[in-house]
Amino acid sequence: MPNINHNINSILKETGLYKCTLVAVSKTKPVEMVQEAYDAGQRDFGENKVQELVTKNEVLPKDIRWHMIGHLQRNKVKQIAPFVHLIHSVDSLRLLETINKEGEKNDRKINCLLQVHIAQESTKFGFDEKEIMTILSDGTVKNMPNVQIKGLMGMATNTDDESLVSQEFSSLKILFDKINHSFQLPNLDMTELSMGMSGDYMLALKNGSTMIRVGSSIFGERNYA
Ligand SMILES: *Cc1c(COP(=O)(O)O)cnc(C)c1O
């Protein structure tokens, strides 16, 4: 069994010089382990499946901030719209439109990050820079009052090549700064740059990350049966 309390505290210590939020990625892990992390003081948790997110939200303490970090199907947005704290994985305009609609139904603004495709792997979801600049400049985002764009999310290539990973993180930081300098919209509040996982969070922080999503370094390796 992993020592969850110890793992969280050593990550917080290691990253202590950076101003960042640790999102504990609890996907596939039982509620008992989430509770253990909660008891260690952790409040931000990330899941990648809607059903699991909904189930855990029902049984765990109400002051947990739930982060949706995995690919999100439009027909499932309504299940998390009432309570989700931040959706990291907004990877298409149609999804953003659905989130806006569900935000309106729930009379709330839903916090979103636009997921940007930065890795070399072609299978990863996300916008490219041009698409983001377009929806920010042509009024599309401005006309969605029930979404609040809090920043960007990206995943680097899964590789040992640290210079490639650094370069990918740095390219996302450059885009983040560029958007911040170029646009001022009422529902654009670009404060969060979500990048870095168990294998690369220190590299991500060195390149400007404000939010790291860490699973296996806290809860141990996952078994996908
Ligand atoms: C699973 C997952 C993580 C955490 O991965 P670890 O390597 O276990 O830290 C982070 N981000 C996303 C989008 C994930 O799906």
Side-chain angles (χ1 to χ4, degrees):
M1 287 294 279
N3 187 334
I4 292 171
N5 188 330
H6 169 266
N7 293 344
I8 287 174
N9 283 303
S10 45
I11 293 167
L12 291 177
K13 199 166 172 190
E14 189 187 8
T15 60
L17 287 174
Y18 296 91
K19 196 172 163 292
C20 75
T21 302
L22 171 61
V23 178
V25 176
S26 48
K27 62 189 185 191
T28 80
K29 300 296 181 184
V31 293
E32 291 75 15
M33 290 176 88
V34 182
Q35 182 68 49
E36 209 174 314
Y38 179 92
D39 293 338
Q42 181 66 29
R43 290 295 179 272
D44 292 273
F45 291 90
E47 291 283 339
N48 70 339
K49 295 219 160 60
V50 166
Q51 191 51 59
E52 200 172 338
L53 186 52
V54 169
T55 310
K56 284 175 175 165
N57 173 59
E58 278 166 7
V59 298
L60 284 155
K62 287 302 158 211
D63 60 340
I64 285 181
R65 294 181 287 270
W66 289 106
H67 298 247
M68 176 64 193
I69 63 169
H71 180 61
L72 177 57
Q73 287 170 287
R74 282 181 298 138
N75 61 1
K76 294 187 175 168
V77 173
K78 57 173 164 304
Q79 297 182 56
I80 60 171
F83 68 90
V84 70
H85 174 68
L86 177 62
I87 302 175
H88 292 230
S89 43
V90 179
D91 56 9
S92 74
L93 181 53
R94 291 173 79 203
L95 176 59
L96 192 63
E97 285 165 348
T98 303
I99 295 168
N100 183 55
K101 209 182 298 168
E102 294 299 329
E104 191 182 345
K105 284 188 200 164
N106 287 275
D107 194 24
R108 66 184 293 236
K109 264 183 198 282
I110 298 178
N111 293 325
C112 293
L113 302 181
L114 301 177
Q115 184 173 349
V116 185
H117 182 269
I118 55 171
Q120 288 190 331
E121 293 128 349
S122 58
T123 53
K124 296 259 164 79
F125 295 100
F127 290 97
D128 62 33
E129 170 168 348
K130 192 159 158 274
E131 292 168 323
I132 291 187
M133 296 314 262
T134 301
I135 63 171
L136 289 174
S137 57
D138 72 1
T140 305
V141 166
K142 196 179 164 204
N143 289 321
M144 297 183 180
N146 291 90
V147 296
Q148 183 81 2
I149 307 290
K150 300 290 293 182
L152 305 177
M153 184 271 246
M155 265 184 283
T157 304
N158 185 8
T159 173
D160 290 337
D161 181 350
E162 292 201 352
S163 77
L164 176 63
V165 172
S166 252
Q167 199 183 303
E168 291 173 351
F169 285 148
S170 152
S171 73
L172 192 56
K173 169 66 169 158
I174 289 168
L175 176 59
F176 178 81
D177 290 341
K178 181 172 164 184
I179 293 170
N180 256 328
H181 291 138
S182 312
F183 300 103
Q184 263 191 309
L185 306 173
N187 57 345
L188 184 69
D189 173 28
M190 294 279 294
T191 52
E192 303 297 340
L193 186 52
S194 168
M195 52 186 200
M197 325 196 336
S198 290
D200 56 19
Y201 61 81
M202 288 309 295
L203 275 182
L205 290 169
K206 284 175 190 146
N207 284 286
S209 171
T210 67
M211 209 171 241
I212 57 177
R213 310 176 309 270
V214 181
S216 44
S217 292
I218 295 173
F219 297 107
E221 294 300 322
R222 288 174 296 273
N223 292 313
Y224 291 106

